[in-house]
Amino acid sequence: MEELSVFFTMLVGAAPLFIAAVAGIALSAVLWPTARKPAMLMLIACVVQLLVTVANAAIYGWYVPHASHDGGFASMRALTTVWAMCASVLHATAFALLFWSAFSGRRPAAAARR
């Protein structure tokens, strides 16, 4: 259990994002019957955010401390660099899905009369 203390500390640090992702998943389940496409997009975005948050805590809270004890600095540097790039792309994808869900399923506004 002591080995996982850093992992859990990282999760506590990311608690606001974690709670927001879980709330988004619950909200998409509630809104599923009335707005399927936006709810599906929001569900995918929130699951991606949740997975990235947990993976981030696992990499920086478990892998990095263990790799530094074993002397694997070269592999640790390569993995953290690749993970940082992938996590950034995944966060951007999740935001894009949230933007798409906010504006999908809307009817075009009628032209204003003059």
Side-chain angles (χ1 to χ4, degrees):
M1 185 69 178
E2 209 171 291
E3 293 179 357
L4 296 177
S5 64
V6 178
F7 171 73
F8 289 124
T9 303
M10 296 285 291
L11 279 181
V12 168
L17 183 58
F18 193 83
I19 291 169
V22 171
I25 291 169
L27 185 62
S28 67
V30 169
L31 295 176
W32 191 272
T34 58
R36 284 192 188 273
K37 186 175 179 181
M40 179 192 61
L41 293 170
M42 188 167 75
L43 176 68
I44 294 169
C46 289
V47 167
V48 167
Q49 283 288 72
L50 192 68
L51 292 176
V52 169
T53 301
V54 171
N56 202 31
I59 288 175
Y60 292 111
W62 185 82
Y63 175 75
V64 170
H66 281 79
S68 63
H69 284 283
D70 296 337
F73 292 110
S75 65
M76 183 175 59
R77 185 180 314 139
L79 179 77
T80 55
T81 301
V82 169
W83 171 247
M85 291 170 46
C86 290
S88 179
V89 168
L90 288 171
H91 280 299
T93 303
F95 271 113
L97 287 169
L98 287 173
F99 293 151
W100 187 10
S101 73
F103 298 108
S104 69
R106 296 178 184 251
R107 295 184 194 130
R113 291 186 182 188
R114 291 189 178 207

